[in-house]
C-alpha cells in the first residue's frame, strides 16, 4: 500500500525555492495499479524518487510498503549480464527454477535466457525488467514511463502481458506516464496531476465491472477541463 | 571491395616508391637503404635470434609494468570511488603527475635504479599509471545512475554495489583508457630503453645507430610498429567479448531499435 499526505517539495534556487510538489496527497491500495497522468515536467519523476526513498520531501508524510523497486524510463537491465543472470541478480538464497521458467514462458522470453540485453528488442528488455522486479519480491513497483521508447504495437502487447503478470503476482504499482493509453489500458485508478507545482486534480477509479466510465475522448476532456480549472486557479 | 586490397595497393606502391627514391637519391646504401637491403638485414637479425631476443626483453618489461598499472590503476580507482576522502586527498596529485612527462623522471630513475629491467619498468609504470587511475575514476563516476539505483533496489550496498554494479558498468570505458595507456606505454618503453636499458627494441635502435646501420634502425622501427599493432589487437579482441563490448553493441542496437 502507498499513502501520501500533504507532501511538499521545492528545489532550492538562487532566486528562491521553486515548488515542485504542493500539498500532494493520494492513496493506492495494496495490489492496485495507479497511473499518475500529468503533463511533462510536472514533477512526476521527482515524486517517484521520493516514493523510492531516494529523495527527501520538505514536509508531509509518505508510507510505502517497501522495499520499492523502480523500473526506469531507459533500460536498466545490466548490459554485462545475460537475461538469466539479470533475473537472479541480488538473490542470495537463489530463486525457484520452476518459477523463473514459468515467468519466462508467460512473458514470451523462453529460450532467451542466455541472451544479453543488447541482443533483445526494446519490448523484450522491458519484459525482462518487469520479471526481475517481480522476482525481487518487492511489494511495490514504481514505473517511470516504462513504455516511452516503444512503438504503438509493442506498447499494446506489453500492457497486456504486464497486466497478466501482475494479475498472477500482485504488486502495488505507481505508473508515471503522460500517455493516456497507458492509463486507460492499465490502471485501476488514474490520478490526474496538475502542472508544477504538482497536486492531484482528479481521481478516476475503475468500477466493479472493470470499466473506468470513460473512453479516450472522455479522458482527454477530463484532462482539458482539469487543466483549464488549474490555470484559472493560478490566475 | 575487400578491406585488404586498398591496403595492399598502398603497401606495394609505397615500397616501390621507397626503392625508387633509394636508387635515385645517389646516397650510399648505408645511409639510405632500399627495401631489399632492409629485408636482407631483417632476415639476418631473425636468423641470429637478435630480433626475438630484443622483442622478448621489451615485452617482458612492458608486461610487468602494464600488469602493475592495470592492477593498481583500476583497483585504486574503485577505492577512490568508494572512499571519497581518498579521492579528495589524492585526486589532485593524480592529475598533477599525469601532466609530468615520464621522460622527466629519467634522471631520478637512473640514479635510483641504474640501468637494466627495473628503471625501464618504473618509467613505463610512471607513464601509464596516473592516466589509467584518472581514467578509471572518470569511468566509475560516469556510470548511469539507474544501474546503481537498480543495484540498491536489489539489496546491494557499499563494496558489494561497487564490485557487482559500478565496476562492471565502468569496465568498457576503463578498457578504452587502458588501450590508450597501452599505446602511450609502448612509445615510452622505446624511449626509456634508449636511455636506461641494456637491451630491448629501443636499445637495439640506439645500438644500430651507433654502428651506423641505418638498415637495422629501419628493421627495428618496423618491429616496434608491428608489436605495437599486436598489443592494440589484444584490446580490440577484448571488446568482442559480450561482457566487455556491450556498451558499443548496446548503442548500436538502440540506434537500430
Amino acid at each position: 500500500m502507498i499513502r501520501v499526505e500533504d507532501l511538499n517539495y521545492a528545489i532550492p534556487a538562487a532566486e528562491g525555492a521553486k515548488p515542485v510538489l504542493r500539498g500532494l496527497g493520494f492513496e493506492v491500495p495494496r495490489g492496485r495499479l495507479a497511473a499518475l497522468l500529468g503533463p511533462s515536467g510536472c514533477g512526476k519523476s521527482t515524486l517517484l524518487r521520493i516514493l523510492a526513498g531516494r529523495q527527501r520531501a520538505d514536509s508531509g508524510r509518505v508510507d510505502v510498503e517497501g522495499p520499492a523497486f523502480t523500473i526506469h524510463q531507459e533500460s536498466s537491465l545490466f548490459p554485462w549480464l545475460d537475461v538469466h543472470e539479470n533475473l537472479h541478480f541480488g538473490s542470495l538464497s537463489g530463486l525457484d527454477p520452476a518459477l523463473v521458467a514459468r515467468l519466462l514462458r508467460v512473458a514470451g522470453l523462453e529460450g532467451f535466457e542466455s541472451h544479453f540485453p543488447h541482443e533483445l528488442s526494446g519490448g523484450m528488455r522491458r519484459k525482462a525488467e518487469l520479471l526481475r522486479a517481480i522476482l525481487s519480491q518487492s511489494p511495490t513497483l514504481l514505473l517511470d514511463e516504462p513504455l516511452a521508447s516503444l512503438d504503438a504495437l509493442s506498447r499494446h502487447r506489453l500492457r497486456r502481458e504486464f497486466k497478466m503478470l501482475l494479475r498472477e503476482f500482485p504488486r502495488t504499482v505507481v505508473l508515471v506516464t503522460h500517455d493516456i493509453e497507458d492509463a486507460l489500458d492499465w490502471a485501476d485508478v488514474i490520478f490526474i496531476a496538475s502542472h508544477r507545482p504538482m497536486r492531484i486534480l482528479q481521481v478516476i477509479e475503475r468500477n466493479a465491472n472493470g470499466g473506468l466510465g470513460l473512453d479516450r475522448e472522455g479522458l482527454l476532456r477530463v484532462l482539458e477541463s482539469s487543466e483549464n480549472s488549474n490555470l484559472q486557479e493560478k490566475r | 571491395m575487400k578491406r585488404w586490397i586498398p591496403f595492399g595497393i598502398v603497401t606495394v606502391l609505397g615500397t616501390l616508391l621507397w626503392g625508387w627514391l633509394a636508387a635515385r637519391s645517389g646516397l650510399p646504401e648505408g645511409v639510405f637503404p632500399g627495401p631489399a637491403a632492409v629485408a636482407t638485414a631483417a632476415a639476418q637479425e631473425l636468423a641470429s635470434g637478435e630480433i626475438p631476443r630484443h622483442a622478448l626483453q621489451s615485452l617482458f618489461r612492458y608486461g610487468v609494468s602494464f600488469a602493475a598499472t592495470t592492477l593498481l590503476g583500476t583497483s585504486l580507482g574503485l577505492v577512490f570511488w568508494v572512499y571519497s576522502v581518498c579521492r579528495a586527498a589524492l585526486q589532485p596529485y593524480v592529475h598533477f603527475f599525469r601532466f609530468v612527462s615520464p621522460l622527466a623522471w629519467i634522471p631520478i630513475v637512473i640514479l635510483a635504479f641504474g640501468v637494466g629491467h627495473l628503471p625501464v619498468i618504473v618509467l613505463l609504470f610512471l607513464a601509464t599509471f596516473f592516466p589509467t587511475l584518472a581514467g578509471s575514476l572518470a569511468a566509475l563516476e560516469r556510470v548511469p545512475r539507474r544501474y546503481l539505483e537498480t543495484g540498491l533496489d536489489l539489496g546491494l550496498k557499499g563494496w558489494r554495489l561497487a564490485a557487482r554494479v559500478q565496476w562492471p558498468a565502468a569496465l568498457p570505458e576503463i578498457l578504452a583508457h587502458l588501450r590508450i595507456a597501452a599505446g602511450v606505454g609502448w612509445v615510452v618503453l622505446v624511449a626509456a630503453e634508449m636511455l636506461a636499458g641494456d637491451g630491448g627494441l629501443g636499445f637495439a635502435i640506439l645500438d644500430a645507430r651507433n654502428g651506423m646501420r641505418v638498415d637495422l634502425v629501419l628493421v627495428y622501427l618496423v618491429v616496434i610498429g608491428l608489436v605495437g599493432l599486436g598489443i592494440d589487437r589484444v584490446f580490440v579482441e577484448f571488446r568482442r567479448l559480450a561482457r566487455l563490448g556491450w556498451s558499443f553493441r548496446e548503442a548500436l542496437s538502440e540506434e537500430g531499435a
Side-chain angles (χ1 to χ4, degrees), chain B:
Chain B
M1 193 193 290
K2 287 190 172 148
R3 279 173 61 195
W4 60 266
I5 293 177
F7 169 74
I9 292 170
V10 167
T11 307
V12 170
L13 287 178
T15 309
L16 288 173
L17 180 67
W18 171 20
W20 182 78
L21 284 172
R24 303 280 298 202
S25 66
L27 294 167
E29 201 170 59
V31 177
F32 189 179
V38 172
T40 308
Q44 284 167 355
E45 287 291 286
L46 267 174
S48 67
E50 282 299 288
I51 290 178
R53 186 174 71 83
H54 286 301
L56 284 175
Q57 220 166 351
S58 290
L59 280 171
F60 168 73
R61 291 163 176 167
Y62 184 80
V64 170
S65 176
F66 202 66
T69 286
T70 305
L71 196 71
L72 286 174
T74 56
S75 55
L76 276 179
L78 199 60
V79 170
F80 277 27
W81 183 77
V82 175
Y83 300 110
S84 54
V85 65
C86 292
R87 193 168 42 202
L90 297 172
Q91 199 171 16
Y93 286 102
V94 174
H95 290 300
F96 171 81
F97 284 116
R98 199 160 62 86
F99 285 101
V100 175
S101 162
L103 303 181
W105 288 97
I106 285 175
I108 296 169
V109 171
I110 291 180
L111 273 174
F113 303 108
V115 291
H117 285 314
L118 195 56
V120 176
I121 290 170
V122 171
L123 279 171
L124 191 53
F125 178 77
L126 290 168
T128 52
F129 170 72
F130 295 108
T132 301
L133 177 52
S136 300
L137 202 50
L140 288 161
E141 282 170 349
R142 261 199 294 272
V143 168
R145 194 170 62 180
R146 64 183 192 275
Y147 293 135
L148 297 176
E149 290 182 351
T150 302
L152 285 166
D153 284 352
L154 289 165
L156 300 187
K157 282 179 195 158
W159 269 104
R160 285 185 69 217
L161 184 68
R164 293 193 62 196
V165 178
Q166 189 88 17
W167 174 254
L171 203 50
E173 196 181 325
I174 291 174
L175 267 180
H177 286 289
L178 276 173
R179 186 181 177 187
I180 294 167
V184 170
W186 187 245
V187 171
V188 168
L189 174 92
V190 173
E193 283 179 337
M194 284 182 173
L195 295 162
D198 58 355
L201 295 168
F203 176 82
I205 285 199
L206 201 68
D207 199 37
R209 190 207 64 175
N210 291 341
M212 302 291 281
R213 292 286 306 273
V214 180
D215 54 344
L216 282 184
V217 171
L218 291 173
V219 167
Y220 282 104
L221 200 138
V222 171
V223 173
I224 288 166
L226 288 176
V227 176
L229 278 178
I231 291 168
D232 197 58
R233 192 77 218 161
V234 173
F235 284 92
V236 173
E237 290 305 318
F238 262 125
R239 255 176 53 170
R240 289 187 200 280
L241 300 174
R243 280 170 210 284
L244 297 174
W246 53 266
S247 61
F248 312 101
R249 297 211 187 104
E250 192 182 45
L252 286 175
S253 78
E254 276 175 7
E255 275 168 27

